[in-house]
């Protein structure tokens, strides 16, 4: 789809194509905290709950809620274990999560290109 | 008064869609850079540096003259630096992380100063015949460099720096143990041990 946006067909405006595709935009990772989780894990996977919290600067509750949504969608794999008596939660990005981020990035880049093409 | 009311009731100016998209792309990049700091240090490179250091320790220990000893270790340090740099570049290319990223720049700025201090102290300590102190200075300052660089890396990296510093106290508190044992344990075994852990945990 992103390839289609790049190869603007004759007679069609690139922005129109982007607008047509907008309903398909990966809304799940559009939200800032979820986008942060996916981006951080794309750069370094796995990350513990504490490491992700440090990187994103969010609260425990916020990270729990958003990571759960990504996990349910199949974008995140979560492994829970114990280090001695301390619980440890480790997240990693699934192939579906990687694809979703790549698709989202393609959308954003296509939007920028289309708007610049208009200017 | 009426002007103020008009201004207050005016809806906020919407952000143009391409500016929003640029903001999202920028957010993804900065988040990845922050998280990317965890992969700045190459585990395999650390293991390779450790292997060459063990070889250097054996060579240096069998050199009777101080000149031969220091030549061996200085050559090893130059080799280790080249190995570390090569593996770091390789890892950054593999993970498509630019070495000019924020995390990399901070790492590059904080790691070398202590190493340069060690290099500056090498010549006077060698000339004064204080080879045990020199071994201690190398381990201590390398530990400082690793801790400083490790602030922007995974938690295991500053932990490695602390281990180097603790080992660096060895030649000062127990000089009866040959200095090459400390150097072998530090630049050899610590590099291999921590390198293996970094490789297993963070890859590369």
């Amino acid at each position: 789809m992103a390839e289609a946006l790049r190869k603007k067909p004759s007679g069609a405006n690139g922005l129109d194509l982007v607008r047509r595709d907008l309903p398909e935009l990966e809304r799940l990772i559009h939200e800032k905290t979820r986008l942060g989780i996916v981006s951080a894990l794309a750069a370094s996977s796995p990350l513990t709950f504490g490491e992700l919290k440090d990187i994103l600067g969010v609260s425990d509750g916020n990270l729990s809620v958003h990571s759960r949504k990504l996990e349910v969608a199949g974008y995140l794999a979560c492994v829970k274990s114990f280090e001695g008596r301390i619980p440890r939660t480790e997240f990693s990005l699934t192939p579906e999560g990687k694809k979703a981020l790549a698709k989202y990035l393609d959308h954003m880049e296509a939007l920028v290109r289309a708007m610049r093409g208009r200017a | 008064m009426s002007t103020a009311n008009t201004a207050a009731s005016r809806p906020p100016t919407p952000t143009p869609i391409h500016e929003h998209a640029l903001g999202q792309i920028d957010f993804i990049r900065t988040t990845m850079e922050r998280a990317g700091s965890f992969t700045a240090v190459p585990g395999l490179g650390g293991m390779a540096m450790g292997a060459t250091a063990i070889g250097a320790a054996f060579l240096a220990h069998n050199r009777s003259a101080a000149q031969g000893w220091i030549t061996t270790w200085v050559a090893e340090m130059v080799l280790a630096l080249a190995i570390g740099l090569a593996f770091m570049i390789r890892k950054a290319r593999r993970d498509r992380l630019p070495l000019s990223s924020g995390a990399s720049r901070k790492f590059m700025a904080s790691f070398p100063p202590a190493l340069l201090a060690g290099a500056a102290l090498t010549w006077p300590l060698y000339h004064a015949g204080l080879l045990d102190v020199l071994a201690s200075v190398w381990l201590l300052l390398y530990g400082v460099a690793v801790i400083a660089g490790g602030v922007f890396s995974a938690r295991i990296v500053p932990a490695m720096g602390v281990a180097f510093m603790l080992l660096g106290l060895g030649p000062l508190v127990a000089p009866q143990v040959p200095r090459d044992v400390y150097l072998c344990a530090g630049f050899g075994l610590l590099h291999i041990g921590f390198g293996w852990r970094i490789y297993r945990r963070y890859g590369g």
Side-chain angles (χ1 to χ4, degrees), chain A residues 22 30 32 35-36 39-40 42-44 46-48 51 54-56 88 90 101 104-105 108-109 111-112 115-116, chain B residues 16-25 27-29 31-36 38-39 95 97 154-155 197 201-202:
Chain A
L22 268 177
H30 184 67
K32 208 93 174 175
L35 184 59
S39 304
S44 176
L47 289 173
T48 64
E51 285 168 344
D54 288 347
I55 292 166
L56 302 175
R88 178 188 172 93
E90 216 171 46
L101 179 63
Y104 182 82
L105 258 173
M108 291 297 123
E109 285 170 357
L111 270 174
V112 173
M115 290 306 289
R116 279 184 181 157
Chain B
I17 195 162
H18 69 290
E19 275 187 32
H20 179 73
L22 275 174
Q24 293 294 90
I25 292 169
F27 174 72
I28 291 170
R29 198 188 68 235
T31 308
M32 288 181 85
E33 278 186 4
R34 267 204 304 277
F38 289 99
T39 58
D95 297 342
L97 289 168
R155 284 175 200 165
R197 184 94 175 97
R201 177 76 174 78
Y202 305 102

Side-chain angles (χ1 to χ4, degrees), chain B residues 96-133:
Chain B
R96 293 178 186 178
L97 289 168
L99 281 172
S100 58
S101 71
S104 300
R105 279 201 308 271
K106 285 174 192 167
F107 185 87
M108 299 293 181
S110 53
F111 188 74
L115 289 190
L116 291 173
L121 287 168
T122 296
W123 189 247
L125 288 172
Y126 165 70
H127 262 270
L130 299 170
L131 298 186
D132 286 342
V133 178

Side-chain angles (χ1 to χ4, degrees), chain B:
Chain B
M1 187 73 179
S2 62
T3 314
N5 281 341
T6 313
S9 59
R10 200 178 295 150
T13 315
T15 309
I17 195 162
H18 69 290
E19 275 187 32
H20 179 73
L22 275 174
Q24 293 294 90
I25 292 169
D26 192 50
F27 174 72
I28 291 170
R29 198 188 68 235
T30 51
T31 308
M32 288 181 85
E33 278 186 4
R34 267 204 304 277
S37 65
F38 289 99
T39 58
V41 180
L44 278 179
M47 289 162 72
M49 287 157 76
T52 59
I54 290 173
F58 277 104
L59 278 176
H61 195 62
N62 291 322
R63 299 280 178 108
S64 51
Q67 195 184 350
W69 181 85
I70 198 156
T71 305
T72 306
W73 275 114
V74 169
E76 158 57 21
M77 282 166 195
V78 172
L79 177 65
L81 272 178
I83 290 171
L85 199 62
F87 273 86
M88 192 176 284
I89 291 168
R90 178 177 167 265
K91 192 172 183 179
R93 279 188 185 158
R94 190 202 66 185
D95 297 342
R96 293 178 186 178
L97 289 168
L99 281 172
S100 58
S101 71
S104 300
R105 279 201 308 271
K106 285 174 192 167
F107 185 87
M108 299 293 181
S110 53
F111 188 74
L115 289 190
L116 291 173
L121 287 168
T122 296
W123 189 247
L125 288 172
Y126 165 70
H127 262 270
L130 299 170
L131 298 186
D132 286 342
V133 178
L134 182 56
S136 176
V137 163
W138 282 345
L139 288 165
L140 284 168
L141 288 178
Y142 186 74
V144 172
V146 172
I147 291 172
V151 169
F152 309 104
S153 188
R155 284 175 200 165
I156 192 173
V157 179
M160 179 169 83
V162 170
F164 267 96
M165 290 193 76
L166 290 174
L167 200 63
L169 298 173
L172 303 177
V173 297
Q176 67 275 18
V177 178
R179 56 184 170 270
D180 289 313
V181 171
Y182 293 113
L183 293 173
C184 181
F187 295 117
L189 300 181
L190 283 183
H191 266 148
I192 290 175
F194 279 95
W196 172 246
R197 184 94 175 97
I198 290 168
Y199 172 67
R200 290 295 303 273
R201 177 76 174 78
Y202 305 102

Side-chain angles (χ1 to χ4, degrees), chain A residues 11-67:
Chain A
N13 183 315
L15 186 65
D16 291 340
L17 285 172
V18 172
R19 279 182 181 147
R20 202 180 61 200
D21 285 331
L22 268 177
E24 289 179 29
L25 190 70
E26 188 48 78
R27 292 183 187 283
L28 189 67
I29 62 168
H30 184 67
E31 195 281 326
K32 208 93 174 175
T33 305
R34 292 197 286 272
L35 184 59
I37 294 170
V38 173
S39 304
L41 288 170
S44 176
S45 192
L47 289 173
T48 64
F49 188 92
E51 285 168 344
L52 260 180
K53 211 179 86 164
D54 288 347
I55 292 166
L56 302 175
V58 293
S59 66
D60 286 13
N62 205 359
L63 183 56
S64 291
V65 167
H66 289 297
S67 61

